[in-house]
Amino acid sequence: MKEFQAIQAPKGVSEYFPPRSQNFELVRETLIDSARISGYQLIELPMFEDTELFKRGVGESTDVVSKEMYTFEDRGGRSITLRPEGTAGVMRSVIENNLDKGQLPVKIWYSGAFFRAERPQAGRYRQFYQVGVEAIGASSPELDVEVIAIADRAFKSLGLKSYRLEITSLGDAASRNAHRKDLITFIEKMNLDAETAARAVLNPLRLFDDKREEIRSAMQNAPVLLDYLSPESAAEFASVQEILGALGIAYTVNPRMVRGLDYYTGTTFEFIHEKLGAQSGIGGGGRYDGLMAELGGADISGIGFGLGVDRVLLACEAEGLFDPEFAAGKLKVYLIALGAQSKSATIKLLNDLRTAGIASDMAYGDRALKGAMKAADKSGAQYCVVLGENEISSGKFEIKDMKTGTVKEVTMSTLIDFLAE
RNA sequence: GUGGUCGUAGCUCAGCUGGUAGAGCACUCGGUUGUGGUCCGAGAUGUCGCGGGUUCGAGCCCCGUCGAUCACCCCA
């Protein structure tokens, strides 16, 4: 007879708990800060949407929509999908709430969980976290670069080094159509296996990304989209590169870059980290000219990106960027009550410290002093105060610096000032 | 979704050709009166992922299943 069956987390979900959650939080906040200081504001959206939104917005031919969505029927018989990416939902909300009727561009950021039913792998989860930005309603190379710079600045301020930025341009519709025609003609002569041929029909650009050497070398001579750009598109792309150069943001042009979502046009980019194995993309994005109109909004352009928080965290770990003390916690002071009589005064002091904004904690239960000191040590607190009857009655404490071991005498009235310094 | 590898204490792992489990770290307590991080001593801890099967007997063999991992597909 079985007493219980332990319940496991669903397949492929990542969880962040202490101490690593501290690093996760740092990564996410750093990514968000970079957007905030560039004038972007929060948009908080539902995690599930009408399935139709993604079919129309992301594109039915994409892998994401055709085989990776968590779709279910709700109690009203509506088809609902857990969001697999962020941009479509943002566009929906912008249109629905008339955000595009005010001053443009609308600049917003978001952060949260996304869902794709793929086979899990390191850095690829079924529930994953992204920080994204969208700048909607203006089309200019400066804005393209601003968005790229937000990501680049965030990575740099985390201390990341082993990553590179790849950019390309998908041009306007006329450029893409001309190229597509020639590319298909080229591919039809390639004598592909059935599976690969089927993939080529869905999106011929995919073949540029194939990992097999024979396909790679065959594709060396395939026509690339950059050679088909209209004069306007080419000029825009040149301008993007010029501004990137002026800002000192290193990049390489990769004419064979492939993006997985149908809505991209014009400038597109990808950040790739070199120490992450197969799932090396830590962020990517691009311009989307037709998306707003496709979803029933005004015919205005936008640009945005999604950064993978899980992957950026892995990248930071691969580069050994985290200070162990940071992960340990951020307590300023740790209190130890000695004896039952001291407890209530200690609790009161702890509460006062917290109210004063000083991160503090105390030893719970009735641990021996030695055990309590150990707990103080492990908490990572900067200081420790032991409160016994003497301290409570005299109002004078010894505050100990846990790093140096030095002790200093303070009084009840000067303690908060001392710690708030 | 396809293929390879793996799944033993909280963590990292050991466990020889099948005979009912061990180490290090961590944890708890102690090393005489109220001060941690080092050192010494003692102690607790395991549905051997789960379910079947083969066997007198399985952590070790077989099947299934769940999960992880690596690669493919694809992507953050």
Side-chain angles (χ1 to χ4, degrees):
Chain A
M1 193 168 36
K2 209 147 186 47
E3 280 184 47
F4 68 96
Q5 176 63 54
I7 296 170
Q8 297 177 281
K11 186 189 185 82
V13 300
S14 60
E15 299 185 287
Y16 299 100
F17 40 85
R20 194 155 93 111
S21 54
Q22 299 271 348
N23 295 335
F24 178 84
E25 190 183 14
L26 172 68
V27 168
R28 183 170 59 190
E29 290 306 308
T30 304
L31 300 180
I32 291 170
D33 276 345
S34 188
R36 284 200 190 102
I37 60 172
S38 304
Y40 290 69
Q41 292 181 294
L42 171 67
I43 186 166
E44 192 68 43
L45 295 173
M47 301 241 252
F48 55 86
E49 297 271 4
D50 187 321
T51 301
E52 190 60 24
L53 172 66
F54 302 114
K55 288 190 175 173
R56 260 205 271 165
V58 180
E60 294 211 58
S61 71
T62 60
D63 279 37
V64 168
V65 170
S66 65
K67 57 184 197 190
E68 295 172 0
M69 294 206 301
Y70 281 101
T71 297
F72 59 96
E73 202 172 273
D74 73 4
R75 296 196 177 196
R78 291 167 282 254
S79 179
I80 297 293
T81 294
L82 301 184
R83 61 185 184 186
E85 61 94 56
T87 303
V90 172
M91 295 309 121
R92 192 229 80 222
S93 181
V94 164
I95 294 165
E96 192 170 339
N97 298 297
N98 297 312
L99 301 186
D100 55 335
K101 301 299 194 298
Q103 182 173 309
L104 301 177
V106 179
K107 305 212 297 186
I108 44 194
W109 65 266
Y110 59 85
S111 165
F114 295 85
F115 308 86
R116 289 183 201 169
E118 302 176 273
R119 181 82 164 251
Q121 202 173 326
R124 188 175 69 188
Y125 309 111
R126 291 185 164 190
Q127 171 174 323
F128 57 99
Y129 297 87
Q130 280 192 356
V131 168
V133 306
E134 309 290 350
I136 304 142
S139 179
S140 78
E142 303 93 86
L143 199 53
D144 291 3
V145 174
E146 172 176 291
V147 165
I148 292 171
I150 290 170
D152 190 62
R153 187 181 304 111
F155 295 150
K156 280 182 180 145
S157 68
L158 282 167
L160 287 172
K161 291 200 163 55
S162 305
Y163 71 92
R164 65 176 189 274
L165 165 64
E166 294 189 351
I167 64 170
T168 190
S169 173
L170 300 180
D172 51 33
S175 314
R176 283 193 301 282
N177 288 336
H179 169 253
R180 186 184 171 91
K181 198 161 152 270
D182 284 3
L183 179 60
I184 288 173
T185 307
F186 179 91
I187 288 172
E188 277 168 353
K189 292 183 195 141
M190 277 176 71
N191 194 12
L192 294 165
D193 61 277
E195 195 191 321
T196 311
R199 222 182 318 144
V201 169
L202 279 176
N203 181 356
L205 293 172
R206 291 271 175 78
L207 292 198
F208 282 119
D209 222 17
D210 202 292
K211 302 260 162 71
R212 288 166 296 185
E213 191 43 50
E214 63 271 25
I215 306 279
R216 283 193 102 84
S217 58
M219 291 301 285
Q220 283 298 315
N221 301 315
V224 296
L225 181 47
L226 279 186
D227 296 333
Y228 290 72
L229 292 187
S230 64
E232 303 79 52
S233 291
E236 252 183 42
F237 189 48
S239 182
V240 165
Q241 294 182 63
E242 193 189 316
I243 302 170
L244 282 172
L247 298 190
I249 298 174
Y251 65 92
T252 56
V253 174
N254 177 1
R256 296 180 166 75
M257 191 172 93
V258 183
R259 301 289 305 157
L261 311 180
D262 279 356
Y263 50 67
Y264 287 119
T265 61
T267 307
T268 53
F269 57 93
E270 221 165 61
F271 286 89
I272 295 157
H273 195 270
E274 282 148 24
K275 297 181 177 173
L276 291 187
Q279 309 308 320
S280 58
I282 54 176
R287 181 157 286 286
Y288 39 86
D289 286 334
L291 184 56
M292 282 285 288
E294 175 67 33
L295 294 174
D299 188 9
I300 52 180
S301 178
I303 180 158
F305 65 60
L307 308 181
V309 183
D310 313 82
R311 289 187 185 175
V312 175
L313 173 63
L314 289 170
C316 290
E317 288 169 346
E319 292 197 38
L321 297 181
F322 293 120
D323 178 356
E325 283 182 35
F326 177 81
K330 321 173 199 178
L331 286 179
K332 190 83 179 178
V333 62
Y334 198 89
L335 306 184
I336 295 171
L338 216 55
Q341 324 81 281
S342 317
K343 190 147 272 178
S344 64
T346 302
I347 294 167
K348 174 72 167 65
L349 177 59
L350 179 65
N351 198 53
D352 290 347
L353 286 167
R354 289 170 173 173
T355 302
I358 295 162
S360 43
D361 207 350
M362 66 179 282
Y364 295 98
D366 294 309
R367 310 186 69 170
L369 181 60
K370 179 167 176 168
M373 283 304 294
K374 275 188 149 179
D377 188 35
K378 293 219 180 69
S379 77
Q382 196 177 340
Y383 296 103
C384 174
V385 176
V386 176
L387 295 115
E389 285 176 74
N390 299 341
E391 286 81 0
I392 304 294
S393 57
S394 70
K396 289 185 191 160
F397 321 122
E398 286 191 338
I399 183 160
K400 181 171 187 176
D401 184 316
M402 296 300 278
K403 197 80 72 27
T404 63
T406 55
V407 184
K408 196 172 171 194
E409 188 158 291
V410 294
T411 64
M412 183 70 100
S413 52
T414 60
L415 178 63
I416 289 180
D417 289 338
F418 176 83
L419 291 170
E421 101 236 356

